[in-house]
mmCIF file of all heavy atoms in Angstrom:
data_model
loop_
_atom_site.group_PDB
_atom_site.id
_atom_site.type_symbol
_atom_site.label_atom_id
_atom_site.label_comp_id
_atom_site.label_asym_id
_atom_site.label_seq_id
_atom_site.Cartn_x
_atom_site.Cartn_y
_atom_site.Cartn_z
ATOM 1 N N GLU Y 389 -66.616 -73.470 -95.886
ATOM 2 C CA GLU Y 389 -67.433 -72.321 -95.543
ATOM 3 C C GLU Y 389 -68.878 -72.744 -95.329
ATOM 4 O O GLU Y 389 -69.349 -73.738 -95.865
ATOM 5 C CB GLU Y 389 -67.369 -71.273 -96.660
ATOM 6 C CG GLU Y 389 -66.002 -70.655 -96.844
ATOM 7 C CD GLU Y 389 -65.995 -69.634 -97.972
ATOM 8 O OE1 GLU Y 389 -67.024 -69.514 -98.673
ATOM 9 O OE2 GLU Y 389 -64.964 -68.969 -98.148
ATOM 10 N N THR Y 425 -79.572 -57.491 -73.030
ATOM 11 C CA THR Y 425 -80.166 -58.599 -72.277
ATOM 12 C C THR Y 425 -80.550 -59.775 -73.174
ATOM 13 O O THR Y 425 -80.898 -60.838 -72.664
ATOM 14 C CB THR Y 425 -81.430 -58.126 -71.524
ATOM 15 O OG1 THR Y 425 -82.389 -57.626 -72.468
ATOM 16 C CG2 THR Y 425 -81.085 -57.026 -70.523
ATOM 17 N N ASP Y 489 -76.621 -55.370 -101.446
ATOM 18 C CA ASP Y 489 -76.665 -55.726 -102.859
ATOM 19 C C ASP Y 489 -78.094 -55.608 -103.383
ATOM 20 O O ASP Y 489 -79.061 -55.852 -102.643
ATOM 21 C CB ASP Y 489 -76.176 -57.161 -103.064
ATOM 22 C CG ASP Y 489 -74.653 -57.269 -103.083
ATOM 23 O OD1 ASP Y 489 -73.997 -56.220 -103.157
ATOM 24 O OD2 ASP Y 489 -74.142 -58.407 -103.018
ATOM 25 N N GLU Y 521 -77.202 -36.986 -83.932
ATOM 26 C CA GLU Y 521 -77.469 -36.307 -82.674
ATOM 27 C C GLU Y 521 -77.326 -37.287 -81.520
ATOM 28 O O GLU Y 521 -77.381 -38.497 -81.715
ATOM 29 C CB GLU Y 521 -78.897 -35.735 -82.677
ATOM 30 C CG GLU Y 521 -79.092 -34.622 -83.676
ATOM 31 C CD GLU Y 521 -78.190 -33.430 -83.390
ATOM 32 O OE1 GLU Y 521 -77.979 -33.132 -82.194
ATOM 33 O OE2 GLU Y 521 -77.699 -32.812 -84.343
ATOM 34 N N ALA Y 572 -68.188 -36.250 -79.152
ATOM 35 C CA ALA Y 572 -67.510 -36.123 -77.866
ATOM 36 C C ALA Y 572 -67.838 -34.790 -77.213
ATOM 37 O O ALA Y 572 -68.048 -34.703 -76.003
ATOM 38 C CB ALA Y 572 -66.000 -36.255 -78.058
#
Side-chain angles (χ1 to χ4, degrees):
E389 294 179 354
T425 60
D489 279 348
E521 293 299 323

